């Protein structure tokens, strides 16, 4: 199936196929644009002194491998679906690199999505200036840490030595595709930020803050993107000047939030709100996976109850597996995209979590269920998550009151940080079957594990929603609820620490209300009941008790019918 990139022009709608090779690019209707993109990429590499030519004999004498280069072509479209540019990226085929020879370490952290959201919320609540920047040729600013040799770019005239000898590239910079590129760039950026005067968050190493005489800045880094807020324009300009003086360049002039991490951003200064949505992302997914289907009707829920009873595929031959692989590849891509969108669409979290259990070998019914989730999103593509409100004019408005906390679904609930948790004790049983039947149709042994779910909210919006199977089977409801509550409480450690950091200590200093609908779980957190029946999850119990004792969380009872986390453990029917 061919996948088109669609964008609007002055004369109508254009559809472009992104080429897979230089040959495809040069033979396409957009050959002129792709040639310009290739020339711009090679010129960019030269301007950054990313490589130099050496005789082909040099790496061979050192016993080093010569890696391949490939062009990756991308049509970049703006949030309003108009064309931004045709882009060609020259990359090393990193899959052929070997650790210990071509690279040493590859791990590189980026800011957690919840941390980025906390930066957004803090900026809006403080009524600060929002900003976003993208660093140009980011990886080309970091020197490479090993000797890496590559062939010359495909599709371009090869350069030869002074005596006509064959030449190869020896990389001086960690260009895109090298396994260590992101790590080396992250180290360079972190060093620059600390040198400028930023502090680094302990709970999320990719979150920074600056307290300067000109003002304050909070910043989250995601590869080559910077997302943050500044209290004054003066301190923001000062920061930009210092960043540019350290061998960094911006892809475009830094400006306010428009898109962040692929999501659209709309800030309403009058109402003190900000909304994250995924319209463009959903439209692209719908075109890729539903183009061959009849236009789907609106569905009331993302999933049907039977999604919780799906079983793995029966035993299959190699030929059957090969025939199903094209469908499975599309299904995996769709579920992966839905998993990303679930970060701002808590309504699909439970359904997507159920589908993720079948990523290894998705069946036709799993793909059909994933398409149903996409259909539900398509009819709500402008829906997202909104933070803030007219009642939030400063960070102090997010501090919880001294009075008893208000139930999470009450119309009088406040904007402060809260968490709701639930667990659905599995009622699945192993089906009766003969040995031959069990071999031909293996049951899903994991279906006996309970489903946990928790939802963390702040500033009238969902900060994080999680739904997943517990790692072990719970023998009763109390054990399932304690396991879920300890998981949510552990996640709150990072959230609270990051919130305290980006708010400069204003928030994150009081216990977080943790709402649970199981009385035994609440008693366990207070060490007010016997733990004999929970001895097999003692560590979970002790973690929950310790976090409660240290004032990180405080558990409260909420009726099951008024617990928002209930929607993260089961498919709820409309009434």
């Amino acid at each position: 199936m061919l996948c088109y990139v669609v964008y609007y022009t002055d004369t109508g709608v254009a559809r472009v196929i992104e080429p897979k090779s230089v040959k495809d690019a040069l033979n396409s209707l957009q050959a002129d644009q792709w040639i310009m993109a290739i020339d711009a990429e090679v010129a960019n590499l030269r301007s950054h002194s990313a490589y130099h030519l050496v005789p082909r004999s040099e790496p061979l004498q050192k016993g080093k491998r010569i890696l391949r280069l490939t062009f990756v072509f991308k049509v970049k479209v703006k949030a309003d679906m108009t064309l931004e540019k045709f882009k060609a990226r020259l990359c090393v085929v990193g899959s052929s690199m070997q650790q210990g020879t071509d690279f040493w370490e590859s791990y590189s952290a980026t800011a957690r999505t919840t941390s980025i959201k906390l930066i957004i919320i803090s900026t809006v609540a403080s009524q600060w200036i929002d900003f976003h920047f993208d660093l140009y040729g980011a990886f080309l600013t970091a020197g490479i840490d090993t000797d890496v040799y590559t062939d010359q770019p495909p599709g371009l005239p090869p350069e030869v030595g002074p005596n006509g000898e064959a030449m190869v590239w020896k990389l001086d910079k960690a260009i895109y595709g090298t396994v260590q590129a992101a790590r080396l760039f992250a180290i360079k950026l972190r060093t620059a930020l600390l040198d400028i005067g930023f502090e680094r968050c302990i709970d999320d190493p990719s979150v920074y803050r600056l307290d300067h005489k000109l003002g304050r800045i909070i910043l989250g880094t995601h590869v080559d993107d910077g997302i943050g807020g500044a209290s004054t324009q003066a301190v923001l300009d000062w920061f930009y000047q210092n960043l540019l003086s350290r061998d960094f360049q911006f892809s475009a002039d830094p400006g306010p939030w428009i898109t962040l991490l692929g999501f659209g951003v709309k800030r309403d200064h009058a109402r003190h709100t900000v909304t994250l949505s995924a319209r463009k992302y959903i439209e692209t997914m719908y075109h890729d996976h539903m183009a061959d289907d009849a236009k789907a009707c609106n569905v009331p829920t993302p999933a049907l109850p039977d999604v919780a009873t799906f079983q793995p595929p029966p035993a299959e031959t190699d030929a059957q597996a090969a025939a199903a692989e094209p469908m499975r590849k599309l299904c995996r891509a769709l579920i992966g995209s839905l998993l990303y969108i679930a970060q701002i669409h808590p309504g699909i979290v439970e359904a997507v979590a159920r589908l993720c259990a079948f990523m290894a070998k998705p069946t036709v019914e799993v793909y059909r269920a994933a398409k149903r989730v996409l259909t539900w999103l398509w009819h709500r593509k402008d829906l997202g998550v909104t933070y803030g409100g007219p009642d939030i004019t400063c960070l102090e408005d997010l501090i919880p009151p001294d009075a008893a906390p208000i139930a999470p679904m009450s119309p009088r609930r406040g904007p402060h940080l809260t968490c709701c948790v639930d667990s659905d004790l599995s009622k699945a049983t192993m089906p009766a079957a003969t040995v031959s039947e069990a071999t031909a149709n293996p049951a899903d042994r994991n279906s006996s594990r309970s489903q946990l779910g928790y939802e963390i909210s702040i500033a009238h919006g969902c900060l994080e929603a999680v739904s997943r199977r517990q790692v072990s089977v719970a023998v009763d409801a109390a054990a399932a609820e304690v396991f879920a509550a300890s998981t949510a409480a552990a996640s709150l450690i990072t959230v609270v620490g990051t919130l305290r950091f980006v708010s400069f200590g204003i928030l994150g200093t009081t216990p977080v209300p943790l709402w649970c609908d199981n009385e035994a779980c609440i008693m366990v957190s207070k060490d007010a009941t016997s733990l004999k029946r929970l001895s097999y999850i003692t560590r979970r119990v002790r973690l929950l008790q310790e976090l409660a004792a240290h004032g990180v969380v405080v558990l409260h009872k909420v009726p099951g019918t008024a617990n928002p986390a209930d929607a993260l453990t089961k498919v709820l029917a409309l009434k």
Side-chain angles (χ1 to χ4, degrees), residues 317-324:
T317 64
D318 292 342
Q320 290 173 326

Side-chain angles (χ1 to χ4, degrees), residues 300-539:
T301 59
L304 295 173
D306 64 351
V307 71
T309 63
F310 285 170
Q311 292 294 320
E316 55 191 14
T317 64
D318 292 342
Q320 290 173 326
E325 187 56 31
M327 178 276 296
R328 288 174 175 168
K329 185 176 181 180
L330 288 172
C331 184
R332 292 187 195 106
L334 176 55
I335 295 175
S337 297
L338 292 174
L339 191 62
Y340 187 76
I341 287 184
Q343 296 177 105
I344 64 166
H345 272 282
I348 68 171
V349 167
E350 194 272 343
V352 175
R354 299 282 187 182
L355 298 177
C356 284
F358 303 95
M359 285 284 274
K361 288 186 176 181
T363 60
V364 173
E365 65 177 354
V366 171
Y367 192 24
R368 190 181 301 117
K371 285 186 174 182
R372 178 188 171 93
V373 178
L374 178 57
T375 301
W376 186 87
L377 284 173
W378 167 257
H379 290 278
R380 297 160 181 83
K381 52 192 172 184
D382 290 321
L383 187 66
V385 59
T386 298
Y387 301 105
D391 59 329
I392 303 175
T393 58
C394 60
L395 282 177
E396 285 75 8
D397 290 332
L398 299 179
I399 298 176
D402 295 331
I406 300 173
M409 295 184 69
S410 169
R412 298 184 297 108
R413 66 186 182 278
H416 54 275
L417 182 66
T418 59
C419 179
C420 300
V421 64
D422 190 32
S423 182
D424 186 31
L425 184 65
S426 175
K427 301 176 179 62
T429 58
M430 296 300 290
T434 64
V435 174
S436 59
E437 290 173 340
T439 302
N441 296 284
D444 182 8
R445 293 185 176 88
N446 293 328
S447 63
S448 296
R449 294 186 290 162
S450 299
Q451 191 82 2
L452 71 84
Y454 64 86
E455 179 263 344
I456 303 172
S457 62
I458 186 174
H460 303 307
C462 177
L463 180 71
E464 183 178 20
V466 172
S467 176
R468 62 170 177 262
R469 282 177 174 169
Q470 298 183 5
V471 297
S472 61
V473 177
V475 298
D476 57 22
E481 294 284 355
V482 168
F483 197 104
S486 63
T487 302
S491 179
L492 281 169
I493 297 174
T494 301
V495 171
V496 170
T498 306
L499 179 61
R500 185 186 306 116
F501 182 84
V502 300
S503 66
F504 291 86
I506 296 176
L507 304 176
T509 59
T510 56
V512 180
L514 184 59
W515 296 92
C516 175
D517 57 15
N518 185 272
E519 191 68 41
C521 178
I522 297 173
M523 294 177 67
V524 164
S525 71
K526 299 176 181 178
D527 197 12
T529 186
S530 172
L531 301 181
K532 290 181 180 179
R533 60 176 176 165
L534 302 175
S535 58
Y536 67 101
I537 56 169
T538 301
R539 293 185 180 221

